[in-house]
Amino acid sequence: MENWNLTSDFILLGLLNHTGPHLFLFVMVLTTAFSSSVGNALMLLLILLDPQLHRPMYFLLSQLSLMDMMLVSTVVPKMAADYLTGRNSISPAGCGLQIFFLLTLGGGECFLLAAMSYDRYVAICHPLRYPVLMSWQTCLRMILGSWFLGAADGLMQAAATLTFSYCSSHEIDHFFCEAPSLVRLACADPSVFEYAMYICCVLMLLVPISLILISYSLILTAVLQMHSNEARKKAFATCSSHICVVGLFFGAGIFTYMKPKSYRSANYNKVVSVYYIIFTPVLNPLIYSLRNNDVRGALRKCMDRCLALNHG
C-alpha cells in the first residue's frame, strides 16, 4: 500500500449521518454536552464561592468537574463542526492532541477517583486525624499526581501513535481520534504496540480501582462496627455519591478497554465512547447535587442570592 507522510490529514467517519433520526440524536448529544458543561461549571463556581465547600473533599470534586468539562470540550465541538459542515478531516497534530487530552483526562480521572475514595476512608475511619492525614498539602499532591500520571500516559501513547507510517487508507472509523482505531491504519504490524497499549490501559484502570476497593472495604468494615444507626446512615450517605460516580466511570472504561478486541465492533466502540465522554460527565454534577447536603445547601444559598439581586 502507498505510504503517506504526516502532512496528510486523517478522515473521521463520524458517529451520525444526516437522516431524520440521526439529526434528533445529534441535537440530543449537543443538549447533553451543553448541560454537562453548565452543570460542571456551576459545580466549580459553587465550590469556589461557598466557604462551606472549601475542604479537601470538594477541592477534589472541583478537579473532577474540571476534567469532565475538558473531556467534553475535547471531542464534542469538533464532532459537531464535522457533522454540520461535512468536513471530517483532522490533521495529524490535531489527532495527536485529541489522543493526548483524552488519555490525560481519562487517566487523571481514574487516579482522582482513587484519591477521593482515600479522602472518604480517612473521613470515616480516622475522623480525628483527618486534618493531618488529608491536609491541603496532601490533597494538592494527590491532584498534581493524578494530572501528571494521566499526562504521562497521554504523552507516551500520542507520541508512539504518530511515529507509525500510515498507508493510503487513512479513514478512522470513529468520531474522534482514538489510538486503537488509528494504529489499525498503520503500514507496519502494530500488534506489539497494541498489546503494550492494552496493558497500559488495564493498569490505568486496575491500579486505581484496586485502591478504591481497598478503601471501601475498610470503610464498610468500620461502618458495620458503628453502634449508632444515625452514624451508619450518615457514613453511607457520604459515600454513596462517590460510589455512583466510580461505578459509572469505571464501568464504561472496563467495557471500552478490557473487553477482548475480537468482541468489539466500531459501532460498539462509538456507543460506549458517547456514554463515557458525553453522558457520564452530565451525571456527575447531578449525582453530587442530589445526594450531597453540603452541595444542595450551597446551591440553595446561591439561588437565594440571585433571587434577592433580581428583586433588588
Side-chain angles (χ1 to χ4, degrees):
M1 294 179 76
E2 178 190 347
N3 286 8
W4 64 287
N5 57 41
L6 281 176
T7 61
S8 303
D9 287 348
F10 295 105
I11 304 296
L12 296 169
L13 296 184
L15 176 67
L16 304 167
N17 55 43
H18 288 83
T19 60
H22 277 223
L23 181 60
F24 173 74
L25 287 174
F26 174 72
V27 173
M28 285 280 293
V29 166
L30 274 193
T31 304
T32 305
F34 178 75
S35 303
S36 169
S37 298
V38 170
N40 283 296
L42 181 60
M43 185 69 75
L44 270 171
L45 198 62
L46 285 175
I47 293 168
L48 180 68
L49 296 178
D50 196 308
Q52 294 289 337
L53 302 182
H54 291 176
R55 286 181 273 164
M57 171 186 172
Y58 295 107
F59 190 38
L60 292 168
L61 179 57
S62 73
Q63 296 301 298
L64 182 68
S65 291
L66 178 62
M67 287 180 177
D68 281 342
M69 282 176 65
M70 291 178 68
L71 193 62
V72 171
S73 301
T74 301
V75 173
V76 175
K78 169 66 177 164
M79 184 198 76
D82 287 350
Y83 184 80
L84 293 171
T85 63
R87 295 179 60 189
N88 297 335
S89 62
I90 184 169
S91 67
C95 209
L97 281 173
Q98 263 200 341
I99 292 170
F100 169 73
F101 279 113
L102 284 167
L103 290 171
T104 296
L105 296 165
E109 200 159 322
C110 288
F111 287 102
L112 187 68
L113 288 169
M116 291 172 79
S117 71
Y118 172 76
D119 170 80
R120 292 301 82 211
Y121 159 71
V122 175
I124 291 169
C125 299
H126 303 284
L128 298 178
R129 297 180 63 201
Y130 184 85
V132 177
L133 294 176
M134 201 61 203
S135 64
W136 281 108
Q137 290 90 341
T138 303
C139 182
L140 188 60
R141 286 192 199 105
M142 285 179 169
I143 288 167
L144 291 174
S146 298
W147 279 101
F148 174 78
L149 289 168
D153 180 45
L155 186 62
M156 284 189 294
Q157 290 205 39
T161 302
L162 292 179
T163 57
F164 281 97
S165 293
Y166 292 93
C167 298
S168 55
S169 174
H170 51 279
E171 293 182 338
I172 302 171
D173 195 1
H174 219 307
F175 60 96
F176 62 89
C177 274
E178 186 193 41
S181 301
L182 186 58
V183 295
R184 292 191 195 108
L185 309 178
C187 301
D189 180 14
S191 55
V192 174
F193 174 70
E194 284 183 317
Y195 182 73
M197 189 166 52
Y198 178 76
I199 296 295
C200 190
C201 288
V202 167
L203 288 174
M204 291 291 282
L205 287 168
L206 287 185
V207 171
I209 207 167
S210 298
L211 295 172
I212 290 167
L213 288 173
I214 291 167
S215 295
Y216 277 105
S217 298
L218 295 169
I219 287 170
L220 184 62
T221 303
V223 167
L224 292 175
Q225 289 173 352
M226 292 176 179
H227 299 295
S228 165
N229 284 333
E230 192 63 34
R232 286 184 186 180
K233 284 180 185 176
K234 189 177 178 182
F236 279 124
T238 305
C239 296
S240 60
S241 303
H242 185 249
I243 291 170
C244 289
V245 171
V246 165
L248 287 168
F249 184 81
F250 281 98
I254 287 166
F255 271 104
T256 304
Y257 294 109
M258 293 182 67
K259 194 170 182 180
K261 190 169 68 173
S262 56
Y263 292 96
R264 297 198 307 251
S265 65
N267 287 333
Y268 169 89
N269 287 339
K270 289 177 189 178
V271 170
V272 177
S273 297
V274 167
Y275 175 76
Y276 81 85
I277 289 175
I278 297 168
F279 286 103
T280 301
V282 81
L283 294 174
N284 291 349
L286 281 174
I287 290 167
Y288 276 101
S289 61
L290 292 173
R291 303 185 67 90
N292 187 290
N293 291 330
D294 292 334
V295 174
R296 281 207 308 269
L299 185 59
R300 210 174 293 118
K301 280 193 283 183
C302 183
M303 290 173 70
D304 289 342
R305 281 183 206 148
C306 291
L307 288 171
L309 286 172
N310 286 336
H311 288 309

